[in-house]
Amino acid sequence: MGFDWGVNVSVEYNLPLDESLWQGEWGLMDLALKLLRWKPTSPLPEELASREVGGRDGVKKQRKKAAQDEKGSSGSSGAPVEDPEDPPWSSWSPDEFTGRRKELADELVNLGEDSCFMGNVDGEIAEAFQFALKDLLGPDQSKKYSLEMEDGGAYGEADEGAQEESARLIYTPSLTRTMGGMDVGRGGVNVPWGVKLTPIPRFSAAEEAEARVTLIKICKEIFGVAPTEEPAWRLATCAHGG
């Protein structure tokens, strides 16, 4: 058997996502479902008032109370409790969606358990993310941000300082690749043969500050977690083989 491999290199302004978002046997499927279902939350009337009289503390109290009320009402409604032995996504059907969302859900369900790994579902998850992003930022602003998911390593191992799987939010105008390809045997690198000097875009302090705020907002509102790292310019590499 041969050894298939590949290497990708880019420079980008990005925000790494914590791997806990997709860990677990069905973590990737759960993440995809969350993105397909995601809708922006309208502020509660009490929350609007709290913004005026109670500041951020008042808003937090109203959100906590609303969550407790919802939990209490659902607990007394007689709703069935999911079997912990079942995959968390097993109780939903693609029929709850329409259009392209339904097509993505069908694709994910058809993949099945044996194919539930990042290299097989990254495209579907990234597309589902774009639906959520349009709802959050609008169709124009959403084009400036993307979700990149990559798996790397060889035979289940990655070198020190690297990860086998990674996901990150990217400010798309910053994404810099050489736009070439070097094919060697059963693999390749996304750089051209020869010497090529590729300019890296520069942004004003105001534009970079806006990108920083928006990346953090996306992480908190769509994925529901605070970022564990700061948005920054980074050299991103992915080497995979097996």
Side-chain angles (χ1 to χ4, degrees), residues 12-78:
E12 57 203 43
Y13 189 78
N14 64 31
L15 176 61
L17 295 175
D18 189 84
E19 60 184 8
S20 62
L21 288 172
W22 65 87
Q23 280 184 334
E25 185 178 2
W26 298 101
L28 288 166
M29 290 292 193
D30 292 341
L31 178 58
L33 176 59
K34 179 178 181 178
L35 292 172
L36 287 171
R37 283 177 168 170
W38 191 88
K39 291 292 181 184
T41 303
S42 301
L44 300 168
E46 299 88 347
E47 191 173 301
L48 292 173
S50 295
R51 290 177 181 176
E52 297 181 4
V53 300
R56 298 184 69 178
D57 289 339
V59 171
K60 289 179 180 178
K61 290 178 181 178
Q62 290 296 338
R63 283 194 181 276
K64 184 176 181 180
K65 182 178 184 301
Q68 290 173 339
D69 291 345
E70 181 179 352
K71 183 177 181 180
S73 61
S74 62
S76 60
S77 63

Side-chain angles (χ1 to χ4, degrees), residues 56-196:
R56 298 184 69 178
D57 289 339
V59 171
K60 289 179 180 178
K61 290 178 181 178
Q62 290 296 338
R63 283 194 181 276
K64 184 176 181 180
K65 182 178 184 301
Q68 290 173 339
D69 291 345
E70 181 179 352
K71 183 177 181 180
S73 61
S74 62
S76 60
S77 63
V81 178
E82 289 185 357
D83 186 338
E85 296 297 324
D86 289 337
W89 59 273
S90 63
S91 60
W92 66 277
S93 166
D95 292 335
E96 72 176 84
F97 305 105
T98 59
R100 180 56 185 160
R101 277 187 171 93
K102 183 179 185 301
E103 292 176 359
L104 285 173
D106 281 326
E107 292 172 16
L108 290 165
V109 170
N110 290 336
L111 281 173
E113 178 181 0
D114 294 337
S115 301
C116 185
F117 55 90
M118 188 172 286
N120 266 13
V121 299
D122 57 332
E124 287 81 0
I125 292 177
E127 190 172 349
F129 168 75
Q130 285 298 323
F131 280 116
L133 196 61
K134 287 179 183 178
D135 288 335
L136 178 65
L137 302 180
D140 294 328
Q141 281 294 104
S142 64
K143 295 176 183 177
K144 297 181 179 180
Y145 300 89
S146 60
L147 172 64
E148 182 78 15
M149 306 183 77
E150 293 182 306
D151 58 351
Y155 300 118
E157 295 185 2
D159 286 338
E160 184 177 355
Q163 299 171 273
E164 291 181 54
E165 294 181 334
S166 178
R168 60 191 185 272
L169 300 173
I170 299 175
Y171 180 54
T172 309
S174 74
L175 182 58
T176 306
R177 294 186 173 122
T178 59
M179 303 305 291
M182 184 176 69
D183 295 323
V184 183
R186 299 172 65 100
V189 184
N190 69 335
V191 300
W193 287 104
V195 178
K196 182 176 181 179

